[in-house]
C-alpha cells in the first residue's frame, strides 16, 4: 500500500481531544515499520466495516514453553501482508517494575529489529507486552532476550506472571517485602508459569499494604496483601498538629471510618483496634500521625477474577494473618494443595473462585486441609435457623449416660 493510498479518517477521530491516542503512537511507528503501517490499514478497515479482522489459530510459541506467546493472524493476509502474522509476546517484568534505561533500550532494539516496534508497558497482569511479530522471529527474539536476562511470562492456563507493588523499595506503608516475595514465587513456579497444565489461569499479586496498589483483591486468584495484627501506631503530638493546622479530624477521619472504631474529643484521638478493618483511610489522611502496627505480615485471599465467563468476583479471606518470611513454605504447601484439588476436580476454563463457589467453601477447605475461621464468612446466614452437630470425645458419651 503506497503512502498516498493510506487514508485513515476513522482512526483520525481517535486522535482528537485532549487525551493521548494509541493511533498517534502507531502512526509514529509506521514511519519506520511496515508492520505498523499495515496495522493502521487493517484497523481502519475494521472501524469502517465494523468487523474484527484478527483470527487466533493453533498453538504458537518457543521451543519447550507452552505459554508467553499469543498467536494472532490477519484474516486479510493478501491485503495486509505485513500483519499476516502479528503475534504478541509477554515478557516477565522485574519485580516492582524497576528498570534501567539500558535494559529498556535493549528490549526496544530487539523489538524494532524483529517485531513491529509497538509495545504496551504494561499489560493488566504486569508483563512487558511486545505487540506484533512473525512466527519465524519468535525463537531469535527469545534467544536475544535471554542474553539480556529477560524471560517470557505466562499466558494460557498456567501461573500468570506474578506482579507486585514497589513495597519496601519506595513505600513506607509496606508490611512485608513484596519484591522479594514476588521474585521468590516467580522462581519457585517456573514450570507452572511456562507450561500450562491448569483448568485455567492462576494469578499471584503481592500488595504491601491494604491500599492494594496492584488491585490484587479484584484481579488475582491469590491476593497477598500486607497487614498488621497489633495496634495502629499513634503520634499524639502529630495528631495535635493536624488539628491546629485546620484539619477537621472528626469529619475527615473519624466519620469516614467504616468500622466506627475511632473517637476524637477535640484533644485526643482514640482507636478501638479490635474493631479496626485495616482500610488505611485514617493512615492515608494523617500519614504523619498514624502508622501501621509493628507486628506485620499479610492476609492471604483467594478467588478474584474479572467478568469473563461468570461475573466479577473479589477475593475472599483464606488466611487472616501470615508472617511473610522466606522461604514461605507453609503458604506454598497450601498453594500446591489448592492446585491439586482444582486440577483434579475443576472444569475447563473455571477459575479457582468459581470452583469454590461450585463445590462450597466447606468442602474446599476440607480438601486443602485448612481449618475454617470467622474471617472467611462472606455474609450472614440467609435463614434464622442454626444447625450443628454434637461431637463427643472418647468417654464423653458414657459420662453423659451416667449423668
Amino acid at each position: 500500500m503506497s503512502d498516498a493510498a493510506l487514508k485513515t479518517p476513522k482512526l483520525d477521530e481517535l486522535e482528537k481531544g485532549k487525551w493521548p491516542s494509541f493511533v498517534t503512537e502507531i502512526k509514529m511507528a509506521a514511519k519506520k515499520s511496515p508492520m505498523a503501517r499495515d496495522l493502521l490499514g487493517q484497523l481502519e478497515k475494521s472501524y469502517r466495516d465494523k468487523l474484527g479482522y484478527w483470527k487466533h489459530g493453533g498453538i504458537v510459541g518457543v521451543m519447550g514453553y507452552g505459554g508467553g506467546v499469543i498467536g494472532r493472524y490477519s484474516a486479510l493476509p493478501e491485503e495486509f501482508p505485513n500483519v499476516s502474522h502479528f503475534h504478541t509476546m509477554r515478557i516477565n517484568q522485574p519485580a516492582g517494575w524497576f528498570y534501567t534505561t539500558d535494559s529498556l533500550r535493549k528490549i526496544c532494539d530487539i523489538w524494532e529489529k524483529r517485531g513491529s516496534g509497538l509495545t504496551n508497558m504494561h499489560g493488566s497482569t504486569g508483563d512487558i507486552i511486545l505487540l506484533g511479530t512473525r512466527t519465524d522471529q519468535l525463537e531469535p527474539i527469545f534467544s536475544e532476550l535471554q542474553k539480556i536476562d529477560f524471560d517470557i511470562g505466562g499466558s494460557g492456563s498456567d501461573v500468570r506472571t506474578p506482579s507486585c507493588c514497589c513495597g519496601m523499595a519506595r513505600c513506607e506503608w509496606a508490611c512485608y517485602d513484596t519484591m522479594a516475595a514476588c521474585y521468590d514465587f516467580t522462581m519457585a513456579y517456573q514450570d507452572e508459569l511456562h507450561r500450562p497444565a491448569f483448568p485455567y489461569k492462576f494469578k499471584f499479586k503481592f500488595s504491601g499494604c491494604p491500599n492494594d496498589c496492584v488491585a490484587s483483591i479484584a484481579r488475582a486468584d491469590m491476593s497477598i496483601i500486607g497487614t498488621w495484627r497489633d495496634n495502629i501506631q499513634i503520634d499524639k503530638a502529630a495528631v495535635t498538629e493536624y488539628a491546629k493546622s485546620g484539619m477537621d479530624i472528626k469529619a475527615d477521619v473519624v466519620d469516614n471510618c467504616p468500622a466506627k472504631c475511632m473517637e476524637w474529643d477535640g484533644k485526643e484521638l482514640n482507636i478501638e483496634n479490635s474493631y479496626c478493618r485495616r482500610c488505611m483511610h485514617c493512615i492515608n489522611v494523617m500519614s504523619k500521625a498514624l502508622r501501621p502496627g509493628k507486628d506485620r505480615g499479610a492476609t492471604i485471599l483467594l478467588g478474584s477474577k474479572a467478568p469473563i465467563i461468570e461475573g466479577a468476583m473479589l477475593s475472599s479471606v483464606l488466611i487472616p494473618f501470615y508472617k511473610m518470611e522466606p522461604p514461605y513454605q507453609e503458604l506454598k504447601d497450601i498453594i500446591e494443595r489448592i492446585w491439586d484439588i482444582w486440577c483434579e476436580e475443576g472444569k475447563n476454563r473455571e477459575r479457582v473462585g468459581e470452583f469454590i463457589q461450585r463445590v462450597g467453601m466447606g468442602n474446599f477447605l476440607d480438601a486443602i486441609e485448612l481449618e475454617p475461621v470467622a474471617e472467611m464468612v462472606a455474609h450472614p446466614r440467609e435463614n434464622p435457623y442454626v444447625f450443628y452437630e454434637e461431637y463427643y470425645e472418647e468417654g464423653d458419651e458414657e459420662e453423659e449416660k451416667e449423668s
Side-chain angles (χ1 to χ4, degrees):
M1 187 179 289
S2 68
D3 288 347
L6 184 59
K7 297 185 184 299
T8 58
K10 295 289 187 182
L11 293 179
D12 295 346
E13 290 294 316
L14 296 175
E15 293 186 279
K16 297 177 181 178
K18 61 183 179 179
W19 306 112
S21 171
F22 73 95
V23 173
T24 304
E25 301 300 319
I26 299 174
K27 286 181 177 179
M28 288 173 60
K31 293 174 183 178
K32 295 192 296 183
S33 169
M35 289 189 93
R37 184 172 176 76
D38 271 10
L39 176 63
L40 282 174
Q42 180 163 313
L43 280 175
E44 177 68 21
K45 185 175 178 64
S46 288
Y47 279 109
R48 185 175 68 244
D49 298 347
K50 298 181 180 179
L51 289 171
Y53 288 111
W54 297 113
K55 61 181 182 179
H56 303 264
I59 300 296
V60 61
V62 300
M63 188 69 70
Y65 281 22
V69 179
I70 296 92
R72 184 172 290 113
Y73 301 91
S74 172
L76 305 168
E78 296 82 12
E79 190 173 351
F80 303 105
N82 292 305
V83 291
S84 57
H85 297 189
F86 199 75
H87 308 315
T88 290
M89 298 186 76
R90 290 180 178 167
I91 311 303
N92 196 330
Q93 80 283 357
W97 298 284
F98 282 95
Y99 298 94
T100 62
T101 52
D102 181 59
S103 66
L104 288 173
R105 285 193 180 97
K106 287 176 179 176
I107 291 169
C108 290
D109 286 346
I110 291 169
W111 200 241
E112 286 190 347
K113 176 183 175 184
R114 299 193 178 276
S116 69
L118 297 168
T119 66
N120 178 356
M121 305 288 280
H122 295 83
S124 60
T125 294
D127 304 89
I128 305 164
I129 305 295
L130 304 180
L131 291 159
T133 192
R134 298 187 61 81
T135 304
D136 59 6
Q137 293 297 322
L138 293 174
E139 289 291 348
I141 292 166
F142 181 48
S143 178
E144 291 183 27
L145 285 168
Q146 284 185 311
K147 291 175 184 175
I148 60 171
D149 296 325
F150 279 90
D151 197 1
I152 290 179
S155 71
S157 299
D158 60 7
V159 169
R160 294 298 179 85
T161 314
S163 66
C164 65
C165 67
C166 62
M168 292 178 171
R170 293 192 64 190
C171 181
E172 61 185 315
W173 304 140
C175 295
Y176 72 96
D177 192 337
T178 57
M179 292 173 64
C182 185
Y183 179 77
D184 184 290
F185 277 66
T186 301
M187 300 307 292
Y189 295 124
Q190 285 290 291
D191 192 58
E192 290 81 2
L193 199 156
H194 290 137
R195 297 170 185 89
F198 294 160
Y200 203 17
K201 67 184 88 169
F202 190 96
K203 297 181 181 181
F204 291 106
K205 291 187 186 296
F206 301 83
S207 288
C209 77
N211 281 324
D212 194 15
C213 290
V214 290
S216 67
I217 199 167
R219 298 188 300 161
D221 296 272
M222 179 163 280
S223 313
I224 301 173
I225 302 177
T227 188
W228 63 94
R229 59 180 172 184
D230 55 347
N231 294 343
I232 292 174
Q233 300 179 71
I234 303 177
D235 182 335
K236 294 185 178 181
V239 173
T240 302
E241 284 300 313
Y242 273 111
K244 286 181 179 178
S245 68
M247 176 182 282
D248 187 336
I249 292 176
K250 184 177 186 308
D252 296 340
V253 181
V254 174
D255 290 350
N256 287 322
C257 174
K260 305 301 179 190
C261 68
M262 311 181 79
E263 288 184 347
W264 169 249
D265 62 6
K267 295 181 179 179
E268 189 172 358
L269 182 69
N270 292 302
I271 303 174
E272 179 51 69
N273 282 274
S274 61
Y275 290 103
C276 176
R277 296 181 187 173
R278 314 295 194 269
C279 75
M280 291 289 290
H281 173 73
C282 61
I283 295 173
N284 292 333
V285 174
M286 298 199 297
S287 55
K288 294 180 180 178
L290 304 176
R291 300 185 66 81
K294 295 179 180 180
D295 186 7
R296 300 179 181 184
T299 297
I300 314 300
L301 304 101
L302 194 68
S304 69
K305 59 178 281 294
I308 298 177
I309 297 177
E310 299 290 338
M313 298 170 64
L314 294 181
S315 291
S316 300
V317 173
L318 188 71
I319 303 171
F321 187 86
Y322 179 77
K323 286 296 250 187
M324 287 295 291
E325 296 170 347
Y328 319 102
Q329 194 55 54
E330 185 182 359
L331 179 55
K332 288 175 182 174
D333 290 343
I334 292 170
I335 289 165
E336 286 167 26
R337 293 200 295 271
I338 290 169
W339 288 345
D340 285 345
I341 186 64
W342 179 46
C343 286
E344 185 175 339
E345 303 291 346
K347 296 179 179 179
N348 186 41
R349 293 177 64 83
E350 181 177 54
R351 296 286 285 272
V352 163
E354 295 165 328
F355 173 69
I356 294 170
Q357 271 196 334
R358 179 167 63 85
V359 303
M361 179 61 89
N363 293 328
F364 177 75
L365 293 174
D366 282 343
I368 65 170
E369 302 168 24
L370 203 64
E371 289 294 322
V373 292
E375 288 84 351
M376 295 174 181
V377 175
H379 56 82
R381 289 179 63 94
E382 283 135 343
N383 65 67
Y385 300 103
V386 177
F387 302 95
Y388 65 94
E389 297 179 29
E390 292 183 351
Y391 293 92
Y392 293 94
E393 294 291 336
E394 189 175 342
D396 285 355
E397 195 169 346
E398 287 74 14
E399 289 177 13
E400 187 169 305
K401 287 178 181 177
E402 290 172 6
S403 62

